[in-house]
């Protein structure tokens, strides 16, 4: 299967709701994994940040 056909197959799976999204919320990181119903990983995303409490105010940064 070529790249374009694989992309179209993935797109159809997402549009037809044949995927599952797992999300983990941590104190300084959010992780997400998109899988098909066979457990194959289709996409992964991670976002990190830092937070601090200074002078009575919470601040958030990347």
């Amino acid at each position: 299967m070529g790249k374009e056909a694989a992309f179209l197959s993935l797109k159809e799976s997402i549009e037809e709701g044949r995927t599952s999204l797992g999300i983990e919320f941590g104190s300084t990181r959010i992780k997400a994994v998109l899988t098909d119903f066979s457990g194959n990983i289709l996409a992964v995303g991670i976002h990190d940040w830092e937070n601090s409490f200074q002078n009575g105010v919470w601040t958030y940064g990347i």
Side-chain angles (χ1 to χ4, degrees), residues 12-55:
E12 289 171 358
S13 293
I14 294 169
E15 290 176 343
E16 294 172 6
R18 293 184 281 125
T19 58
S20 294
L21 179 64
I23 301 175
E24 177 184 350
F25 295 98
S27 60
T28 60
R29 177 179 292 164
I30 296 173
K31 294 184 269 185
V33 178
L34 183 69
T35 63
D36 63 16
F37 288 161
S38 297
N40 299 310
I41 296 173
L42 305 174
V44 176
I46 298 173
H47 180 74
D48 293 316
W49 71 87
E50 297 178 12
N51 58 44
S52 62
F53 189 72
Q54 298 177 356
N55 301 321

